[in-house]
Amino acid sequence: MESIGVLMLIPMNSYLEQELQRRYNLFKLWTAPQKPQFIKGHANSIRAVVGNASAGADAELIEALPRLEIVSSFSVGVDKIDLAKCREKGIRVTYTPDVLTEDVADLAIGLMLAVLRRLCESDRYVRSGKWKKGDYKLTTKFSGKTVGIIGLGRIGMAVAKRAEAFNCPICYYSRTEKSDTKYKYYPSVVELASNCQILVVACPLTEETRHIVNREVMNALGPKGVLINIGRGPHVDEPELVSALIEGRLGGAGLDVYEHEPEVPEELFGLENVVLLPHVGTATVETRKVMADLVVGNLEAHFLNKPLLTPLV
Amino acid sequence: MATKEEQPQALENKEEPKEDGELPLVVVLRPKSFNLPLEDRLQSHFHLLDPNDSPDESIESFLSRRAHSARALLCVGLTPLTADTLCLLPSLELVVGSSAGVEHIDLHECRRRGITVTGASAAFSEDAADYAVALLIDVLRRISAADRFVRGRLWPVKGEHPLGFKLGGKRVGIVGLGNIGSQIAKRLVAFGCSIAYNSRKKKPSIPFPYHANVWDLAANSDVLIVCCALTEDTHHIINKDVMTALGKEGVIINVGRGPLVDEKELVQFLVRGEIGGAGLDVFENEPDVPKELFKLDNVVLSPHCAVVTLESFAALQDLVMANLKAFFSNKPLVSLVQNE
């Protein structure tokens, strides 16, 4: 029986690579000196694509793989996959919801605390020897601050649950008001931003939510407000964010994602009211393993004609 | 120092303290460099006797001369309040502490003299709990290390940053389940951590498992959070044996006092990789911090600032004013320190 070809787009997890290699004929796109030729050369045997938050099956790739049956994403965000094209061609799509919800929510709170309490700056203060010359300044209390959440899905709800343990009042914006929640709803992001002190982006990236945090929203959040982005870089108008922070129209920001990863606007490096992370929302030993098992499990189910574990399409 | 026989004579020689419209006297003890942000508010209600206002005079002389009839004293920051000083204040009935801990105040001597002590932990406990949780998330998820990685322009070069560890499911052992410890527990439960604790005595109203000694707690925990008071009994309560029991992947968070942890041992454990990581806000010899820690990415360091927020300082001012006003109007005090 011919072995099944699986195309992995970029390095994402060595355990995942290992498990895929054991079961399938794994093609590692990033090792190819000439990517288009590589794809063309193996197109006949590639029946699955494995991508992640940074790289997915776009229209061009799908067209180049006539035998493609399934795209299994090592992420919950699927904005890099051309879902319409997959539906059109009957290609299945799986992702990794739920298993990473807690890690992302934990990091959102971690970012809030790190920005308000200046954790990274304080650590730098000690390591540079400045503490010997004087105490660090006063910071801002986190407990009790109003937290506004854009998108009250799995991750948004998990962020709310954690923030409530710090006595933070919760409010939110989403496409439609949720009937089964006690949190206060605002029908627009600007209104949400005007009524909270910490604004968290926790919705999926779609055409509608691109730049959902724009200049108007940042001005509404204000000089004492803090923006936390654990969604996708394009949720936030990045050049506007930089100028809002530099000009003091926005109080601070905790960012895990950027418009052009791994590039981060250099102007942010000099700001002490900003915490910058390299897209590590799900970057724990425990969660990456569970995510990898889910990717492999979905592929196995598909090739055995069994029901998929976590299908999106 | 006046002896009992000398006192009646000494009284005649004393300068009567000027009372501004008969405002009650409050002695203020503070480090010279420490400005009293509360001063304006205090001065409108009390007559402050501050030895720093008489810099050419010794504290002993100032107090003997002016504070004989003072019934209340405000202890600012961690200024030690010793038995010797208390001897100079025969009318003292109340000491108002203004920090989270009270180990710098001679509580034994206060008790002996029938002096009531109020603390300020109520103003600080939420911030302290927030900071303990912040340090834990930072250590497990490598927040400060990752921020350095990005700012060092390493992301485009090195690609991946080492993986951190999940909070959910971690067994957290809290050493000292007082005000601060309980607030830490409440927060971490929401992250899916399981809580156990050690305290001087088991607390029957607390639903978490109790361990009679810290070694047992460590053996059954992935994380130890130290937030108990520093006393003779708790000096180096986190010692080599406790660190060994906690294990190679264990994490220690200290927001209590530096001497609660055997710092030399901790540094060795961290340098040798015999413990998973640490988040430290306090040190044995502040502001000196062992240099070996500066190279480690699994350690987060902060300059004793767990409670230093605008909000806590405002709450502290309110609390100090409330205690002093209550005392001088014979009303119940707001935040008594429980002596055991």
Side-chain angles (χ1 to χ4, degrees):
Chain A
M1 186 183 136
E2 83 180 45
S3 72
I4 298 165
V6 175
L7 178 68
M8 191 182 230
L9 302 181
I10 57 172
M12 53 192 78
N13 184 273
S14 40
Y15 166 74
L16 177 59
E17 275 177 48
Q18 192 184 294
E19 291 302 300
L20 290 172
Q21 237 147 227
R22 287 207 297 130
R23 294 164 173 76
Y24 308 111
N25 198 3
L26 183 65
F27 299 107
K28 303 182 194 178
L29 186 60
W30 68 92
T31 62
Q34 306 276 10
K35 290 187 172 57
Q37 279 84 324
F38 183 85
I39 291 170
K40 210 171 184 183
H42 298 291
N44 262 343
S45 64
I46 292 173
R47 293 165 63 187
V49 162
V50 173
N52 70 350
S54 312
D58 57 16
E60 196 186 333
L61 183 66
I62 293 169
E63 286 297 342
L65 299 171
R67 295 198 63 202
L68 184 60
E69 296 168 23
I70 179 168
V71 175
S72 188
S73 196
F74 186 66
S75 69
V76 69
V78 289
D79 43 282
K80 289 278 195 308
I81 300 173
D82 192 329
L83 295 174
K85 194 127 210 117
C86 288
R87 277 189 200 101
E88 181 197 309
K89 289 184 171 263
I91 296 168
R92 306 304 306 273
V93 176
T94 69
Y95 64 148
T96 60
D98 297 314
V99 298
L100 49 71
T101 301
E102 293 182 346
D103 269 1
V104 178
D106 291 351
L107 197 76
I109 304 291
L111 279 169
M112 292 180 207
L113 283 161
V115 173
L116 267 77
R117 299 302 305 272
R118 297 290 193 268
L119 222 56
C120 309
E121 277 300 307
S122 300
D123 182 286
R124 264 187 278 276
Y125 193 79
V126 175
R127 281 176 208 246
S128 66
K130 290 203 180 101
W131 193 15
K132 302 213 189 200
K133 304 201 179 125
D135 283 336
Y136 191 68
K137 58 183 181 176
L138 270 70
T139 57
T140 306
K141 183 171 183 171
F142 171 58
S143 274
K145 292 289 184 297
T146 302
V147 174
I149 305 175
I150 301 176
L152 207 63
R154 286 171 292 247
I155 293 174
M157 284 297 288
V159 172
K161 175 183 170 197
R162 283 150 178 74
E164 281 194 300
F166 293 81
N167 304 317
C168 296
I170 309 291
C171 46
Y172 73 101
Y173 162 82
S174 66
R175 278 169 303 186
T176 52
E177 186 171 0
K178 313 236 167 198
S179 53
D180 56 348
T181 178
K182 48 193 163 144
Y183 304 138
K184 180 150 174 62
Y185 173 74
Y186 286 99
S188 77
V189 182
V190 170
E191 275 178 83
L192 180 68
S194 308
N195 288 284
C196 70
Q197 290 152 303
I198 301 170
L199 184 65
V200 186
V201 184
C203 59
L205 180 66
T206 63
E207 272 164 30
E208 291 83 36
T209 62
R210 188 177 176 277
H211 284 194
I212 196 173
V213 179
N214 56 20
R215 186 185 176 99
E216 200 191 348
V217 169
M218 291 181 228
N219 283 343
L221 192 49
K224 296 213 163 119
V226 172
L227 175 69
I228 303 293
N229 193 0
I230 41 132
R232 286 287 181 264
H235 275 129
V236 175
D237 184 336
E238 204 160 271
E240 282 292 347
L241 175 66
V242 173
S243 55
L245 286 165
I246 290 176
E247 290 165 27
R249 287 180 285 113
L250 180 62
L255 308 172
D256 188 40
V257 287
Y258 312 84
E259 292 214 72
H260 306 286
E261 295 169 21
E263 285 161 34
V264 174
E266 298 242 332
E267 301 95 312
L268 297 179
F269 292 166
L271 300 178
E272 54 94 40
N273 55 346
V274 163
V275 173
L276 305 167
L277 300 181
H279 202 155
V280 290
T282 65
T284 65
V285 167
E286 298 91 335
T287 294
R288 288 285 169 87
K289 179 177 187 298
V290 175
M291 286 166 70
D293 289 341
L294 198 49
V295 167
V296 173
N298 272 300
L299 290 175
E300 280 187 326
H302 171 77
F303 291 116
L304 288 171
N305 279 317
K306 293 206 171 118
L308 297 179
L309 304 177
T310 45
L312 189 61
V313 171
Chain B
M1 203 166 77
T3 61
K4 255 199 161 140
E5 298 92 77
E6 287 173 18
Q7 258 183 351
Q9 238 181 343
L11 253 171
E12 288 161 19
N13 297 336
K14 275 194 180 1
E15 175 193 304
E16 277 307 314
K18 252 197 202 141
E19 304 202 34
D20 296 347
E22 296 189 17
L23 289 179
L25 293 176
V26 176
V27 175
V28 176
L29 282 190
R30 62 178 172 93
K32 216 178 301 194
S33 54
F34 207 102
N35 283 324
L36 198 59
L38 193 46
E39 210 165 347
D40 292 339
R41 274 177 86 181
L42 284 171
Q43 280 178 336
S44 53
H45 291 90
F46 312 107
H47 179 68
L48 302 182
L49 296 173
D50 187 343
N52 285 302
D53 293 339
S54 202
D56 299 327
E57 192 177 5
S58 73
I59 295 179
E60 291 76 23
S61 165
F62 178 91
L63 292 177
S64 304
R65 208 168 46 81
R66 311 265 325 261
H68 192 263
S69 61
R71 295 170 60 214
L73 178 146
L74 171 60
C75 194
V76 178
L78 294 173
T79 321
L81 179 55
T82 62
D84 285 351
T85 309
L86 289 167
C87 263
L88 301 169
L89 303 163
S91 307
L92 198 64
E93 295 169 42
L94 173 71
V95 168
V96 175
S98 62
S99 77
V102 287
E103 78 281 357
H104 55 290
I105 295 173
D106 191 335
L107 294 176
H108 181 79
E109 186 67 13
C110 287
R111 202 178 320 134
R112 202 180 70 77
R113 289 172 171 267
I115 296 171
T116 307
V117 179
T118 61
S121 63
F124 296 126
S125 51
E126 285 189 319
D127 285 298
D130 288 356
Y131 212 77
V133 174
L135 285 172
L136 180 59
I137 302 178
D138 194 328
V139 174
L140 287 178
R141 298 299 300 272
R142 305 178 59 100
I143 292 181
S144 288
D147 180 89
R148 282 196 288 277
F149 178 79
V150 173
R151 284 175 138 101
R153 296 167 171 83
L154 294 171
W155 193 11
V157 173
K158 284 198 172 173
E160 287 296 299
H161 179 74
L163 293 176
F165 297 94
K166 189 181 165 103
L167 259 92
K170 291 289 177 290
R171 300 167 301 164
V172 173
I174 300 183
V175 183
L177 203 72
N179 221 335
I180 296 174
S182 314
Q183 304 230 31
I184 292 172
K186 175 186 168 201
R187 284 150 176 73
L188 288 179
V189 162
F191 290 81
C193 296
S194 64
I195 311 289
Y197 73 102
N198 165 260
S199 217
R200 273 170 301 197
K201 286 189 293 233
K202 182 173 176 169
K203 306 191 182 221
S205 57
I206 299 283
F208 309 124
Y210 170 76
H211 292 267
N213 66 69
V214 183
W215 189 93
D216 266 340
L217 182 67
N220 290 284
S221 300
D222 305 304
V223 174
L224 279 183
I225 302 190
V226 187
C227 47
C228 57
L230 179 64
T231 65
E232 276 165 13
D233 300 324
T234 60
H235 183 263
H236 282 194
I237 193 173
I238 309 297
N239 57 23
K240 178 177 176 167
D241 293 335
V242 170
M243 292 180 218
T244 305
L246 186 60
K248 278 200 140 203
E249 317 223 307
V251 171
I252 293 178
I253 304 295
N254 189 3
V255 293
R257 287 282 180 268
L260 290 167
V261 173
D262 184 339
E263 198 164 280
K264 283 203 176 70
E265 278 298 336
L266 179 62
V267 171
Q268 286 311 301
F269 269 70
L270 284 164
V271 163
R272 293 191 302 242
E274 285 165 15
I275 201 163
L280 307 170
D281 185 49
V282 285
F283 306 86
E284 292 214 64
N285 204 20
E286 294 168 17
D288 290 331
V289 174
K291 287 191 180 57
E292 299 94 313
L293 299 179
F294 294 171
K295 298 173 242 149
L296 302 175
D297 271 354
N298 58 342
V299 171
V300 178
L301 305 165
S302 58
H304 200 156
C305 54
V307 303
V308 182
T309 63
L310 290 152
E311 292 87 344
S312 74
F313 274 45
L316 171 64
Q317 291 191 24
D318 290 343
L319 193 57
V320 164
M321 288 299 295
N323 274 312
L324 284 170
K325 280 186 180 169
F327 174 72
F328 285 113
S329 23
N330 291 316
K331 297 216 172 93
L333 296 170
V334 179
S335 55
L336 278 169
V337 168
Q338 300 300 338
N339 280 338
E340 280 174 17

